[in-house]
Amino acid sequence: MKTSIKLLSLLFVLNISACKQTSKKELNINEETETAQSVENEYKIPKSWIETRVANANKRLNATEAGKVLWDAMEAHGGLDKWYGNGYFSLRFNYQPVNGKGIRDSYQTIDTWSNKARHNSITDPTSIFGWDGKESWIKAKDSTSFAYDTAFWALTPLYFSGHPFVLDGEGVNLELLPETVFQEEKQKVIKATYNAGTGSAPDDYYILFINAKTNQVDAIKYIVSYPKYFPEGGHAPEKTTVIQGRTEVDGIVFATGFKTYWSTEKQNELGEYITKIDVSDISFSPTVEEGFFSKPDGAVSLD
C-alpha cells in the first residue's frame, strides 16, 4: 500500500512539472544552447554593444536627480546589463478584469533589445500574434481566439513586467516628483513622459513609486492614450497598479502579480479595484526558432 501511494505521488509531481513546462515546449523555446543550433537562432547582441548601451544609460541617467532614482531602481532590480544580456524574456501574463470582461491570457517571448514580441494563446497554442519591430501580425483559428486588440497588446505586458528597465531609451523624459508615503512605505517618485513621435502612444506617461529603502518599484500610475482608442486625442482615466509579490529570475527581480485600481485625486490613495494580473513561467533563453518574431505563413498583417 505504501509503495502504491509513493508511486501515485511521484506520478502527480511529474504531471504537475510537465504542465508547468507546456507553454515553453509549445513555443519550442530552447532552455539550453545546442551545438547544432543555427547561429541565426541565438541571442546575437554582442557583449560590447550591451556594455556601451549600459554605460551610456549610466552617464545619461546619473546626470539628473530623477535619472539617479531610475538608475538606482534598475540596479536594485538586477541591473540593465543583465536585462539586455540574459537573452529572450518569456512569461505568462494573465490579465483579469474583476468584471470578467476583456480577459487576456497569453504566453509570450520578448526580445528586450529591440522590443519584438510573440504571444501564443494559453487555450489554443496554435493561435499566435506578434510584433516584429515593423508590423503587427496575427495567425488565429478564428475571431474568438483573441477577443481583444492584439496590435495594442503585443508589447503592453512588457510595460508592466519590464519596469524600470523599459524607461531606458531615447525620447524618454524624466521628472522628479515630491517624495510620498504609499502603503506605509516612504517612496521616491519619478514621472516618465515621451517626446512626440516616440512609440505608438507618445502621450502615455508613467509615474513610478520607488521604495526608498529597497529602491524597487512598489507601484506605477499610468494612462492609456493609444491613438486608435483616442483618435481625437485624450486618454483613459489614470490607473494605479500595485506590485503583488516578487521573484528573482537569472538575477532580475520581477513582480509575480499586480492589482490595478482607478487612481484618485490623492496621490497615495487607491480607488476602485478593477484588475488582477498574474505573472508566471518567467524565464530567459539564449535561443528561439529562426524567424521566431517574423510574420509566419498564413498570418495576417494588422498594420
Side-chain angles (χ1 to χ4, degrees):
M1 182 66 176
K2 290 183 178 179
T3 301
S4 298
I5 292 173
K6 288 181 179 179
L7 287 172
L8 286 171
S9 298
L10 177 59
L11 288 171
F12 177 77
V13 170
L14 290 173
N15 184 54
I16 292 296
S17 177
C19 288
K20 291 176 73 175
Q21 295 299 321
T22 298
S23 52
K24 295 179 184 178
K25 289 180 179 179
E26 286 162 349
L27 283 175
N28 292 320
I29 297 174
N30 298 320
E31 298 263 344
E32 300 177 358
T33 304
E34 300 177 8
T35 56
Q37 185 79 32
S38 167
V39 174
E40 293 181 346
N41 299 350
E42 296 176 359
Y43 190 71
K44 299 179 291 186
I45 309 304
K47 184 178 179 180
S48 61
W49 289 18
I50 295 172
E51 290 173 346
T52 298
R53 185 167 181 175
V54 172
N56 289 340
N58 187 355
K59 182 178 180 180
R60 182 180 68 255
L61 293 176
N62 281 290
T64 67
E65 292 305 311
K68 289 177 182 177
V69 173
L70 179 59
W71 177 260
D72 288 345
M74 289 177 175
E75 290 291 283
H77 279 265
L80 203 55
D81 54 342
K82 288 190 181 71
W83 174 249
Y84 289 130
N86 277 351
Y88 299 104
F89 169 43
S90 297
L91 72 161
R92 178 178 177 179
F93 194 88
N94 189 1
Y95 180 91
Q96 307 154 77
V98 295
N99 64 9
K101 300 178 181 179
I103 293 174
R104 306 169 189 187
D105 187 9
S106 66
Y107 185 81
Q108 59 212 260
T109 297
I110 300 164
D111 180 342
T112 58
W113 182 265
S114 57
N115 281 5
K116 298 175 183 177
R118 171 170 161 165
H119 297 238
N120 78 300
S121 167
I122 295 298
T123 56
D124 177 18
T126 64
S127 293
I128 56 178
F129 68 91
W131 164 253
D132 67 3
K134 294 182 180 179
E135 67 174 347
S136 301
W137 54 265
I138 185 170
K139 183 178 182 180
K141 180 176 61 178
D142 54 45
S143 60
T144 65
S145 297
F146 301 108
Y148 51 89
D149 186 336
T150 55
F152 168 73
W153 199 250
L155 288 175
T156 295
L158 178 62
Y159 283 83
F160 283 86
S161 293
H163 275 293
F165 304 110
V166 291
L167 295 182
D168 168 55
E170 296 181 1
V172 179
N173 305 300
L174 300 175
E175 177 186 358
L176 184 65
L177 301 182
E179 291 186 349
T180 190
V181 174
F182 178 74
Q183 296 189 336
E184 301 183 351
E185 293 281 351
K186 186 177 180 181
Q187 305 286 332
K188 302 174 185 178
V189 185
I190 58 172
K191 182 176 183 179
T193 57
Y194 298 91
N195 292 340
T198 302
S200 61
D203 292 334
D204 283 0
Y205 67 72
Y206 296 92
I207 299 174
L208 273 60
F209 284 33
I210 298 170
N211 191 291
K213 292 181 181 178
T214 66
N215 284 325
Q216 293 181 356
V217 178
D218 279 351
I220 305 166
K221 291 180 178 289
Y222 67 96
I223 61 166
V224 173
S225 65
Y226 188 48
K228 183 177 178 180
Y229 298 163
F230 302 95
E232 304 300 323
H235 56 80
E238 185 185 82
K239 299 177 182 179
T240 303
T241 193
V242 183
I243 278 69
Q244 305 294 309
R246 291 180 171 86
T247 188
E248 184 174 323
V249 178
D250 291 345
I252 298 292
V253 177
F254 292 102
T256 55
F258 302 86
K259 284 188 175 181
T260 303
Y261 306 78
W262 291 119
S263 295
T264 68
E265 293 182 358
K266 294 185 178 180
Q267 186 184 43
N268 56 358
E269 291 187 3
L270 299 172
E272 180 187 358
Y273 173 42
I274 50 177
T275 308
K276 176 188 178 185
I277 300 171
D278 292 321
V279 183
S280 60
D281 292 326
I282 303 170
S283 67
F284 288 95
S285 175
T287 60
V288 293
E289 291 178 344
E290 184 176 356
F292 185 75
F293 298 102
S294 301
K295 183 175 72 173
D297 292 340
V300 176
S301 175
L302 299 175
D303 298 328

